[in-house]
Amino acid sequence: MDEVHIEIRLKNARESNSDKVLSQLSLDENEEVRCEVASSLKTPRYILERLSSDKSPEVRCGVATNPNTHFMTLNNLASDEHQFVRRSLAWFENTHSSLLARLSKDIDTEVRCGVASNSNSDLKTLNELSNDEKWQVRASLVQNDTISHQIRKILSEDVNDDVRILVAENASSSSKLLSNLSKDPRVEVRVSVAENTSITKEIIENLAKDEKSEVRYAVATNSKTSTRILNQL
């Protein structure tokens, strides 16, 4: 019977428009019910503010990713003791750039990865993260379409192979960067360039002569490779 009651409360938490009902459910003993209230777009700000101090990190994560949460409440959550809450805020698409700037200095690598991937992060923050000590953070930058050409250039020269591979396979990388990466000493990087459908005919022709068969095979699988070059492989 209790399970039935919980299902009813969960349904109310998801669907209710009543401030009174949502306020009562925000105090529910069941964590899942409170999570639903925290995530609901119908929950008013004063309830979200109260839930931002909930003992459950999952509930606070719901508040952090609710578009209705007040900025000052989010500002407090940016310093939350639990990394899962800060991660939720860093990865959330609506998080303000000023909060992302704060989170970019977080001790947790995953938090900084979220900031690096977030399209709301400002250029100053992204520039600083391009020098982050963790390669995973720098790799996350590559996935962010808002980074400048200068940052992408820095990443194309990264000491970590995985970061350069991500730049090599990214469709947003310029022809000049791809040309430089086509001469990379690591075969995996050159393979990624050869598979990139954004490369020029000149790059394809050069890679078709690569000493490594893996690179030449990648050229053969690229849809931009002409019949003439395929016959030469």
Side-chain angles (χ1 to χ4, degrees), residues 72-117:
M72 292 309 298
T73 302
L74 295 174
N75 189 55
N76 292 333
L77 289 173
S79 301
D80 195 278
E81 64 181 2
H82 205 294
Q83 67 268 29
F84 287 166
V85 178
R86 304 195 308 277
R87 288 175 185 177
S88 295
L89 196 56
W91 286 95
F92 186 47
E93 60 184 11
N94 287 356
T95 300
H96 194 274
S97 60
S98 62
L99 295 183
L100 292 170
R102 279 183 57 197
L103 291 166
S104 70
K105 297 174 176 58
D106 198 278
I107 60 172
D108 184 75
T109 301
E110 185 67 21
V111 171
R112 301 198 307 279
C113 283
V115 176
S117 299

Side-chain angles (χ1 to χ4, degrees), residues 156 167-168 173-184 189-190 193 198-200 202-204 206-207:
S156 73
V167 177
S173 296
S174 68
S175 296
K176 184 174 182 181
L177 292 184
L178 292 173
S179 179
N180 292 338
L181 288 168
S182 70
K183 305 177 185 68
D184 196 279
V189 176
R190 302 200 305 279
V193 175
S198 297
I199 60 175
T200 63
E202 181 182 359
I203 297 175
I204 291 176
N206 289 335
L207 289 173

